Amino acid sequence: VSHVQRDGEATRVARRWYALLALPFIGLLWPPLYVRDEPRLGGVPFFYWYQFAWVVVTAALIWLVVRATELPGDDDPERP
Amino acid sequence: VTTAVFAVVLLAAAGLGFAARRWRAHDVTSLEQWGLAGRPFGTALAWCVISGGVYTTYTFIAVPAVLYTSGALGFFAVPYTIIVYPMFLLAMPRLWAVARRHGHVTTADFVRDRYDSAGLALAVALTGMLATMPYIALQLIGIRVVLEAMGVSRPGLAGDIPLVVGFAVLAAVVFTTGLRGPALLSVAKAVLIFGTTAVAAGWITWKVGGPGVVFDAAARALPEREPRPGSMLLAPASYSAYATLAVGSALALFLYPHTITGVLSARSVRAVRRNAALLPAWSFLLGVFALFGFLAIAAGIETPRGRGALAIPLLVRSMLPGWFAGLFFGAVVVGALVSAGIMAVAASNVFCRNIYKEYLKPSATARQQVQTARAVSVVVTMGSLLFVTGLKTQAAINLQLLGGVWILQTLPAVGVGLYTRWFHRWGLIVGWAVGMVAGTAMVASAGFVAVYQVSIGPLQFASYPALLAVGLNVVVAAILTPILTRAGVPRGLDATDASDYTPAAARVSAFTMGAP
């Protein structure tokens, strides 16, 4: 029972991490925010490199959230 | 040289596909073994298998084609394939856990247990099959475009012989190995696509004079496009279309049977979760690939009107050495075969579990289910071949567009169902039906384009019709739910338990129930 309670507590604390996942939605779903040519990066217009940057940032954010909320039970259930 | 290298790549791929018979060999005695390869894949292999289904060759041909003909609007593929992964992280580990716990192979399996409703499960199953079939056909079209650019395929029946051979081999691989063949090939796909794309992008960009030149060329050429001018930067009139296409497509992506098949074939919740962070590497690649459309403009590639899909193969053939073009085309075709293979497996899983076992032969043994799925996979693969050779390409593209609209209508039952059972099952069924009809009507009235002009009084904007349809779907289900509940219409019993959805529970229950 204590083990289950500890898991429950861990889940509650861990939930806060998931708020980070809102960032890509804010950064990407309002095009007026980023539809412009300048500043260019190595010749690439802002519109394009900004969205490429979000791919990298989102992957990093998700990795952070995944690792911060990983539980031992996430691994193979057949080999606990 | 191009054709020789191309042929070598494909022969190697065919050999690899059949070699999968011995890979992780075991008796294929259940559908979980044939159709999910026995759920064996750790993080790295799951990354290959999921991406092998998700990032299809047709996507790799069609997205740059949109940039080539219309410009920035086609780049919605990038925000689409970014925002999908936070949602993936929220939903897919739950689906994996509950599916593992209850032996689900399809989303309709889950819906049946969750809502105690064979009708809702049938709706989900039929939608999934309907959405997958044209998608398989489009992979064939992708292959045909490549063959055409190589000069191998000519219009007419005889020109499709290489295509027929390729798909016959694919059908044989899928029949014998189930998901294992496409899974093994997906590793080759990952290596080939990443390698050739990186080299081709760098090489061609350098040859035409650098990124600045490429975007300037696109900015000059796109406004001249007929019949509709395009633009290198997104036009203000397209803002809402861009955002709704991204959201709607992202919500729909992990409802397709072939994407679910990839996810459910993972070994653990950990593999699924980590892939939420690792799969975006493919989104970056897709973004690079999308810009091939602008490279084609900068390189002065001209395609016949309405054949923008030819731009990328022609670009590669004209700008790069023959041997490399052969490798590139080989990569693209292997990619198509992987996607089509996973889709065929997924559609067969759905048919076998949710139609054959549910309605045609409820007493079917595990072995009979596998036999049925095998037979169906051949019918599906060959059926799409007939479809492509017999019907107009445009019909398949239109149906695939509709497929995206349709599959999103399963979101309330599947996606929302992973979190809450608040909706009444009959509310979901009626909502689904309304969404299907409304979505189809919107797409048809817009002339089979992905953007629908909404105009309600002063409210005027462009939107992806799938998103509007699923909004209607949710509203209908939400209105009907309290009415039906109050009227005493039975809600059915939930065969799943709240603890089935969390990974810790998956461990504990497997422990206490005895690992299967």
Side-chain angles (χ1 to χ4, degrees), chain A residues 20-70:
Chain A
L20 286 176
L21 300 181
L23 294 175
F25 293 85
I26 298 166
L28 286 165
L29 292 184
W30 190 249
L33 204 63
Y34 54 89
V35 179
R36 68 180 79 100
D37 197 315
E38 304 284 339
R40 287 195 175 198
L41 183 71
V44 179
F46 182 80
F47 176 75
Y48 293 95
W49 70 257
Y50 173 86
Q51 294 182 79
F52 273 114
W54 266 110
V55 182
V56 180
V57 170
T58 305
L61 285 174
I62 295 176
W63 186 253
L64 194 70
V65 175
V66 164
R67 295 312 302 264
T69 58
E70 213 155 64

Side-chain angles (χ1 to χ4, degrees), chain B residues 430-446:
Chain B
V430 176
W432 168 83
V434 169
M436 292 289 279
V437 172
T440 308
M442 278 187 269
V443 171
S445 75

Side-chain angles (χ1 to χ4, degrees), chain B residues 13-31 33-37 167-183 185 341 344-345 348 367 370-378 381:
Chain B
L16 196 61
F18 282 114
R21 289 181 66 167
R22 298 182 183 283
W23 185 49
R24 297 169 185 275
H26 45 53
D27 276 345
V28 180
T29 50
S30 77
L31 192 62
Q33 279 165 354
W34 184 85
L36 293 179
F167 250 54
V169 171
L170 178 72
V173 168
V174 168
F175 181 89
T176 48
T177 67
L179 185 61
R180 283 178 298 149
L185 278 172
V345 170
S348 307
R367 198 169 273 284
V370 174
Q371 282 164 352
T372 306
R374 282 188 155 149
V376 171
S377 75
V378 174
T381 325

Side-chain angles (χ1 to χ4, degrees), chain B residues 401-424:
Chain B
L401 173 65
L402 279 173
V405 176
W406 292 337
I407 200 71
L408 190 54
Q409 306 315 316
T410 64
L411 180 73
V414 179
V416 179
L418 282 169
Y419 275 89
T420 167
R421 205 169 171 273
W422 182 82
F423 284 115
H424 193 287

Side-chain angles (χ1 to χ4, degrees), chain B residues 212-239:
Chain B
V213 176
V214 172
F215 287 100
D216 291 339
R220 271 195 310 275
L222 284 164
E224 312 293 319
R225 285 282 194 257
E226 298 283 341
R228 205 182 284 195
S231 61
M232 190 272 283
L233 288 175
L234 197 61
S238 299
Y239 287 174

